[in-house]
């Protein structure tokens, strides 16, 4: 089935989830062709607006810290994180030809990202023990508000139907028909896997990362099998990476203020407020009640809460 889209004219339901029709080809090609066959592959997975850009920056800096030890002269200062860590179904597979992913000039370990739910990942990504998956989750209210703003920034590029109202966005989000939604099913797929296979899937929360960025970066480095050494700790490497990737630093870089991405979008759309709880400025009491109730029902008994 097809429904009205958030950014483009329509979204399309496929294998239980919703996708902007424009990305369908990329979704199918990624599922069919991607081979997680390198021992060191890392897949970053998120719902849109969960903090993907931030996770990309941090992971890139961590994985390449020997190659780019100087955070004053770092690729992240001049290249947007979405170029350094491409999204498989959007940047790489949504093309006529199947891409050759054997080389990536920027990074020593293959580092990709995806918005696909766990159930839809290619078998090789799920089955290979060495392909590590990092999932970043954000509370549903901030995710919705961030997504609504984001889509309205993109809409003029793709539709002539004017702005998407918060009421319409809210209804579609609650019904599950937002890009890569239903939000809750997306989160739960990775959550369950992270409990069953903690060595394979790391589950991070945006809110915890904001509160304790350094501790979470250490967790991420440990999970990737490359903890910070005592020498690195003494040199303050983790602090440097944290500062490099912080919202204020990233947002004020020229490339992120005025550069453009692969689909022609302005890079600054990925850096809006970068805070926890901005939903309070937008959602009505009724909306909050409804969204909290759905979240409570969906996450009941799973051990997951915000
Ligand atoms: P807001 O719209 O609430 O500001 P994604 O990267 O998945 O598209 O998510 C974008 C959201 O992450 C936006 O949220 C954006 O401001 C926030 N964000 C981007 N870079 C960040 C960073 N370095 N630190 C914290 N939040 C960041």
């Amino acid at each position: 089935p097809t429904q009205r889209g958030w950014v483009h004219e329509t979204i399309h339901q496929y294998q239980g989830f919703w996708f902007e029709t424009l990305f369908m080809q990329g979704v199918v090609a990624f599922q069919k062709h991607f081979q997680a066959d390198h021992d060191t592959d890392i897949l970053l997975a998120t719902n849109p607006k969960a903090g993907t850009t931030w996770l990309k920056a941090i992971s890139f800096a961590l994985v390449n810290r020997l190659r780019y030890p100087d955070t004053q002269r770092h690729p992240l200062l001049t290249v947007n994180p979405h170029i350094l860590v491409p999204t498989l179904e959007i940047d790489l597979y949504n093309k006529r030809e199947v891409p050759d992913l054997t080389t990536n000039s920027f990074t020593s370990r293959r580092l990709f990202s995806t918005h696909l739910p766990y159930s839809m990942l290619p078998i090789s990504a799920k089955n290979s023990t060495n392909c590590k998956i990092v999932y970043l989750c954000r509370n549903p209210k901030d995710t919705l508000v961030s997504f609504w703003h984001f889509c309205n920034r993109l809409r003029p590029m793709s539709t002539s139907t004017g702005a998407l109202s918060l009421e319409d966005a809210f209804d579609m989000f609650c019904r599950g028909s937002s890009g890569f939604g239903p939000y809750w099913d997306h989160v739960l797929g990775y959550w369950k896997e992270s409990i069953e296979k903690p060595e394979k899937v790391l589950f991070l929360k945006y809110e915890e990362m904001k509160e304790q960025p350094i501790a979470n970066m250490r967790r991420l480095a440990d999970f990737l099998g490359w903890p910070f050494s005592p020498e690195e700790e003494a040199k303050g490497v983790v602090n440097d990476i944290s500062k490099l990737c912080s919202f204020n630093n990233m947002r004020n870089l020229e490339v992120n203020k005025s550069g453009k991405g692969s689909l022609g979008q302005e890079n600054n759309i990925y850096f809006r407020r970068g805070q926890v709880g901005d939903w309070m400025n937008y959602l009505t009491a009724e909306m909050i009640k409804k969204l909290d109730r759905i979240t409570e029902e969906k996450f009941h008994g799973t051990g997951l809460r915000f």
Side-chain angles (χ1 to χ4, degrees):
T2 299
Q3 276 193 19
R4 183 178 151 211
W6 288 59
V7 177
H8 308 102
E9 302 298 340
T10 54
I11 54 173
H12 188 86
Q13 194 179 32
Y14 178 63
Q15 299 184 352
F17 286 83
W18 290 92
F19 304 93
E20 294 279 338
T21 306
L22 191 78
F23 299 142
M24 272 314 297
Q25 183 194 335
V27 168
V28 173
F30 165 41
Q31 283 189 307
K32 186 166 168 201
H33 298 293
F34 181 71
Q35 282 296 327
D37 48 10
H38 293 218
D39 275 357
T40 55
D41 278 350
I42 303 167
L43 212 51
L44 309 177
T46 52
N47 252 315
K49 304 302 118 195
T52 320
T53 316
W54 191 19
L55 182 64
K56 285 183 179 189
I58 292 170
S59 307
F60 180 87
L62 281 182
V63 165
N64 295 293
R65 64 191 196 262
L66 284 188
R67 197 163 171 191
Y68 307 115
D70 185 355
T71 51
Q72 303 296 319
R73 295 178 56 222
H74 198 277
L76 277 163
L77 298 173
T78 50
V79 189
N80 178 266
H82 294 283
I83 303 286
L84 295 172
V85 185
T87 303
L88 286 153
E89 67 278 5
I90 296 176
D91 300 317
L92 299 175
Y93 283 98
N94 203 30
K95 300 192 171 131
R96 225 170 254 272
E97 279 139 50
V98 176
D100 174 10
L101 304 182
T102 46
T103 56
N104 179 339
S105 55
F106 283 115
T107 174
S108 45
R109 273 174 89 167
R110 291 206 313 175
L111 186 54
F112 300 114
S113 91
T114 181
H115 291 312
L116 250 61
Y118 186 82
S119 59
M120 288 181 66
L121 291 183
I123 300 283
S124 68
K126 290 198 257 197
N127 286 358
S128 111
T129 38
N130 292 319
C131 169
K132 301 262 190 184
I133 299 175
V134 180
Y135 187 73
L136 177 61
C137 170
R138 190 178 192 187
N139 78 76
K141 287 177 283 200
D142 278 332
T143 304
L144 160 65
V145 167
S146 181
F147 198 41
W148 171 62
H149 279 288
F150 180 78
C151 291
N152 274 329
R153 287 283 313 273
L154 286 177
R155 274 168 84 87
M157 276 173 56
S158 54
T159 71
S160 52
T161 49
L164 175 68
S165 73
L166 179 59
E167 289 69 25
D168 285 353
F170 180 81
D171 280 346
M172 291 193 280
F173 190 85
C174 288
R175 277 189 274 114
S177 56
S178 54
F180 303 92
Y183 164 91
W184 300 272
D185 299 2
H186 198 284
V187 172
L188 281 178
Y190 285 96
W191 171 251
K192 286 182 186 149
E193 225 37 52
S194 74
I195 303 228
E196 276 166 32
K197 294 189 201 151
E199 67 297 337
K200 166 100 185 153
V201 181
L202 176 69
F203 193 95
L204 297 171
K205 287 183 179 163
Y206 182 92
E207 295 74 20
E208 291 178 358
M209 301 251 303
K210 284 293 283 190
E211 210 170 288
Q212 294 195 303
I214 305 271
N216 279 286
M217 276 177 217
R218 289 203 183 99
R219 250 182 101 194
L220 179 54
D222 291 350
F223 172 76
L224 295 176
W226 191 16
F228 289 99
S229 66
E231 294 76 32
E232 285 180 310
E233 290 287 3
K235 274 200 264 171
V237 172
V238 63
N239 289 287
D240 290 348
I241 293 180
S242 176
K243 270 192 220 148
L244 172 68
C245 301
S246 71
F247 180 76
N248 284 335
N249 190 51
M250 295 293 291
R251 174 174 133 120
N252 288 316
L253 296 170
E254 204 47 47
V255 61
N256 295 329
K257 274 202 294 203
S258 53
K260 287 200 172 183
S262 61
L263 305 176
Q265 77 280 25
E266 291 176 77
N267 287 339
N268 61 27
I269 59 174
Y270 296 102
F271 305 91
R272 194 183 61 90
R273 290 207 62 189
Q275 286 180 8
V276 176
D278 191 36
W279 54 265
M280 287 177 218
N281 300 317
Y282 295 94
L283 302 184
T284 64
E286 208 177 311
M287 287 171 166
I288 295 167
K289 208 168 142 198
K290 181 167 175 185
L291 208 43
D292 282 348
R293 186 180 46 74
I294 298 174
T295 305
E296 186 113 8
E297 277 171 20
K298 296 268 191 183
F299 290 170
H300 181 77
T302 62
L304 180 59
R305 55 182 74 245
F306 290 98

